[in-house]
Amino acid sequence: MAMQRRGNAIHVVFIYAFWIALWRSKAQLQVGFYDTSCPAAEIIVRQEVTKAVNDNPGFAAGLLRLHFHDCFVRGCDGSVLLDSTPNNTAEKDSPPNTSLRGFEVIDNAKARLEEACFGVVSCADILAFAARDGIVQAGGQSYPVPAGRRDGNVSTSQEALGNLPPPSAKIDQMSQAFANKGFTQSEMVALSGAHTIGVSHCSSFSSRLYNNGPTATQDPTMDPGYVSQLMQQCPQGSTNNLVPMDPSSPNTFDTGYFNDLVDNRGLFTSDQTLMSNESTAGQVIMYANNSDVFFSDFSNAMVKMGYMGVLTGSLGEIRTNCRVING
Ligand code: HEM
Ligand SMILES: *[C@@H]1O[C@H](CO)[C@@H](O)[C@H](O)[C@H]1NC(C)=O
Ligand SMILES: *[C@@H]1O[C@H](CO)[C@@H](O)[C@H](O)[C@H]1NC(C)=O
Ligand SMILES: *[C@@H]1O[C@H](CO)[C@@H](O)[C@H](O)[C@H]1NC(C)=O
Ligand SMILES: *[C@@H]1O[C@H](CO)[C@@H](O)[C@H](O)[C@H]1NC(C)=O
Ligand SMILES: *[C@@H]1O[C@H](CO)[C@@H](O)[C@H](O)[C@H]1NC(C)=O
């Protein structure tokens, strides 16, 4: 009887410790993290993003992609913002960086934040806020961004290559890449909806037009009309041209991307391949006509992405300049 009771007590202590541990691991970031330490933090970032996107709507896409590349490589620690040094080639100078943009928006926000509250707001958090604010400027839904990330001091080109799936990835490789990062296939589909804004270089998909394996020259999963259109925008060898990823509404955060996929007009193999699996295809078709569900799933997946490998507490540092580690 006594043994039994002690067993139960130990059991309860274990469960309690487990929940505390779980709660701590979840609570390392918090919404409103800067409310007392730098109350204007999120306002300043929003102002800078709004100004930038008004000047050039493409910055909304640029900032969103920067946050994704930051989080998938070494966690959301601002590593994508670091410049290369004579001794080190940084993530931003790796092949998957093609057309990363928005660095100057982060620099402007950081400069104002250092004036308002020196050494308080991390570059990684600025990026997380800016990605959200860009989505809102592009007509998407807002969501609260848990904060409290600190900045890392390492950024290497090789790590970008190893951690970001290529645009040639098919469904199995995509699902595996996202599973390796702790995401479900369903979260992967939601996050892919980010391609409803922004542009791509021809080089990221031209193999689908001109060189799709030994027998076919054109990717049979792409609508032939879209193939012809893209061939005009991307003559063979014209790797530097840019095309919108969701041509009917390239600067609006909507469900256009999913409608494109339903029409076989996804730009990358990694986009169109979402139609090749029953369950991802079903989700694409559902999102195509349900923006509320897409926005809600996307916001949740973005918040989850924002927790990837974060440095908190006494780890890392608060960079003074987002491009260089503190000296
Ligand atoms: C699923 C795997 C993914 C692959 C293979 C992929 C690949 C790419 C490629 C190749 C480009 C164009 C680069 C260029 O040629 O200029 C691009 C652009 C972009 N990607 Fe992704 N991406 C993926 C997932 C994501 C996710 C999860 C997000 C955000 C949550 C995202 C956001 C963006 C945005 C916004 C752009 C446009 C950037 C701009 O216009 O400046 N991507 N992506
Ligand atoms: C590069 O590495 C060399 C040798 O390790 C070192 O002397 C130099 O200070 C480094 N330069 C930078 C900019 O870190
Ligand atoms: C991306 O990396 C390439 C080298 O792979 C470099 O030439 C280019 O300047 C980089 N682009 C940006 C925007 O940093
Ligand atoms: C980077 O941070 C780690 C852990 O905080 C530290 O041990 C290391 O010395 C730092 N490296 C540089 C170059 O600052
Ligand atoms: C679709 O994806 C699910 C989950 O990864 C997998 O179990 C299923 O076999 C896939 N179906 C096809 C047809 O590839
Ligand atoms: C979305 O709804 C419209 C109008 O009801 C319909 O024509 C279209 O086929 C639907 N698309 C999908 C993918 O279900």
Side-chain angles (χ1 to χ4, degrees):
M1 193 60 181
M3 279 291 272
Q4 172 75 35
R5 204 174 293 131
R6 193 161 62 189
N8 280 345
I10 290 172
H11 197 73
V12 165
V13 166
F14 265 106
I15 289 184
Y16 185 72
F18 172 78
W19 280 111
I20 290 282
L22 191 70
W23 175 78
R24 279 176 174 246
S25 72
K26 279 286 180 194
Q28 44 184 322
L29 299 182
Q30 68 190 77
V31 173
F33 182 81
Y34 297 108
D35 281 356
T36 51
S37 60
C38 188
E42 294 195 46
I43 298 166
I44 289 175
V45 175
R46 190 169 65 234
Q47 286 173 348
E48 290 303 318
V49 171
T50 304
K51 196 162 61 169
V53 174
N54 283 342
D55 281 358
N56 175 356
F59 277 131
L63 292 164
L64 174 53
R65 185 165 181 237
L66 276 182
H67 184 45
F68 163 55
H69 281 217
D70 186 26
C71 295
F72 263 57
V73 186
R74 239 178 210 278
C76 317
D77 66 346
S79 53
V80 73
L81 303 171
L82 288 171
D83 283 343
S84 293
T85 62
N87 289 348
N88 179 55
T89 307
E91 285 170 32
K92 62 166 64 157
D93 292 320
S94 167
N97 76 356
T98 345
S99 81
L100 284 180
R101 52 178 169 166
F103 295 109
E104 57 275 53
V105 183
I106 302 299
D107 290 340
N108 291 342
K110 181 63 175 175
R112 282 186 61 195
L113 286 166
E114 291 308 279
E115 263 178 43
C117 1
F118 185 81
V120 173
V121 184
S122 70
C123 297
D125 278 345
I126 297 174
L127 202 41
F129 296 143
R132 182 265 317 271
D133 297 340
I135 290 166
V136 172
Q137 282 303 301
Q141 193 185 70
S142 190
Y143 55 91
V145 173
R149 298 169 189 79
R150 292 168 63 87
D151 299 322
N153 62 6
V154 176
S155 175
T156 65
S157 162
Q158 300 91 299
E159 283 183 345
L161 266 176
N163 286 283
L164 293 161
S168 58
K170 296 217 168 111
I171 187 74
D172 292 343
Q173 190 186 350
M174 289 267 290
S175 303
Q176 191 58 58
F178 277 77
N180 289 346
K181 299 289 186 184
F183 290 97
T184 64
Q185 201 175 47
S186 162
E187 287 164 338
M188 173 181 85
V189 176
L191 286 173
S192 296
H195 287 175
T196 198
I197 53 173
V199 296
S200 168
H201 285 82
C202 294
S203 52
S204 298
F205 58 86
S206 57
S207 63
R208 299 188 72 196
L209 311 178
Y210 299 110
N211 177 28
N212 201 68
T215 51
T217 52
Q218 294 170 0
D219 187 335
T221 65
M222 188 185 269
D223 170 63
Y226 194 38
V227 172
S228 328
Q229 184 188 323
L230 289 171
M231 285 172 92
Q232 292 191 345
Q233 293 172 284
C234 299
Q236 214 159 355
S238 67
T239 50
N240 282 329
N241 293 4
L242 292 168
V243 305
M245 297 198 289
D246 173 23
S248 59
S249 55
N251 294 315
T252 310
F253 200 91
D254 55 13
T255 60
Y257 169 81
F258 296 106
N259 284 286
D260 294 339
L261 299 188
V262 171
D263 295 338
N264 300 316
R265 295 164 76 91
L267 191 57
F268 306 144
T269 301
S270 60
D271 296 318
Q272 197 58 49
T273 194
L274 298 178
M275 291 303 285
S276 70
N277 174 291
E278 280 170 70
S279 88
T280 54
Q283 198 180 339
V284 166
I285 293 167
M286 187 265 289
Y287 284 158
N289 267 339
N290 286 285
S291 57
D292 289 352
V293 184
F294 165 54
F295 285 160
S296 149
D297 288 358
F298 180 79
S299 301
N300 288 334
M302 285 296 287
V303 168
K304 177 167 172 179
M305 189 175 90
Y307 274 89
M308 290 175 78
V310 292
L311 301 169
T312 55
S314 57
L315 299 171
E317 62 183 16
I318 304 297
R319 259 178 243 152
T320 311
N321 173 345
C322 292
R323 293 173 182 269
V324 292
I325 62 176
N326 292 345

